[in-house]
Amino acid sequence: RKEVEQDPGPFNVPEGATVAFNCTYSNSASQSFFWYRQDCRKEPKLLMSVYSSGNEDGRFTAQLNRASQYISLLIRDSKLSDSATYLCVVNLLTTSGTYKYIFGTGTRLKVLA
Amino acid sequence: DGGITQSPKYLFRKEGQNVTLSCEQNLNHDAMYWYRQDPGQGLRLIYYSQIVNDFQKGDIAEGYSVSREKKESFPLTVTSAQKNPTAFYLCASSPRGVATDTQYFGPGTRLTVL
């Protein structure tokens, strides 16, 4: 089982739609959680951090469910510019006492005009 | 302007040659990281460093080497021992390397072995 699993998509949605992505993680020792956005052939950029029960930033809402070990990302009123790959990331405490990011493979979103 | 720079953006090398990828940050971050990204796969950790003159192997360190002589710089050498070096290489940094840290990425170097 992968440490972080995401549906690769693609999710093709019309402009203005609401879309939700889920991500599951296998290690209950995961400390913190993030969503990054990656455009084609570019570097990942932080979209949102998710620390406790979730948080909202404009059209974006992230939720964390520690009991079921999943996080979600909701995008409301989708824009063409939201087309990208969304990476789910967990920060894990390793046995050596350092922290390590574990990345999902990403979910691809395409917003259609 | 604070940030992370990587050079070059595109790099071509012949099989059997070593090549060094540059990564510099002026964010005053303690921790720096090297990742590799292949199509259809998540980013995989090659090496990381939390302080100057110290670094640890990540999940796929074989065929790679690093140094951390200065806080701002964390170059990665891809040696001829790396069997499949063609990939997108990303350098990142974070303030302290702790649980709540956010990692910030450079623009990446796309390496192609001919």
Side-chain angles (χ1 to χ4, degrees), chain A residues 6 21 28 30 33 38 40-43 45 49 58 60 62-63 65-66 76 78 81-82 101 104-105 111 113:
Chain A
Q6 295 182 253
F21 309 136
S28 58
S30 299
F33 309 87
Q38 186 174 26
C40 190
R41 301 178 74 82
K42 300 280 190 181
E43 75 274 24
K45 292 187 177 175
S49 303
F60 299 85
Q63 293 282 341
N65 185 319
R66 280 192 183 270
R76 289 181 297 277
S78 300
S81 57
D82 293 335
Y101 265 27
T105 54
V111 181

Side-chain angles (χ1 to χ4, degrees), chain A residues 19-41:
Chain A
V19 62
F21 309 136
N22 286 329
C23 163
T24 57
Y25 60 95
S26 59
N27 195 321
S28 58
S30 299
Q31 301 285 311
S32 52
F33 309 87
F34 307 89
W35 284 102
Y36 277 73
R37 170 196 169 124
Q38 186 174 26
D39 292 291
C40 190
R41 301 178 74 82

Side-chain angles (χ1 to χ4, degrees), chain B residues 37-50:
Chain B
Q37 188 174 34
D38 295 281
Q41 295 196 40
L43 276 71
R44 293 182 291 167
L45 183 64
I46 304 173
Y47 268 98
Y48 63 102
S49 167
Q50 294 199 291

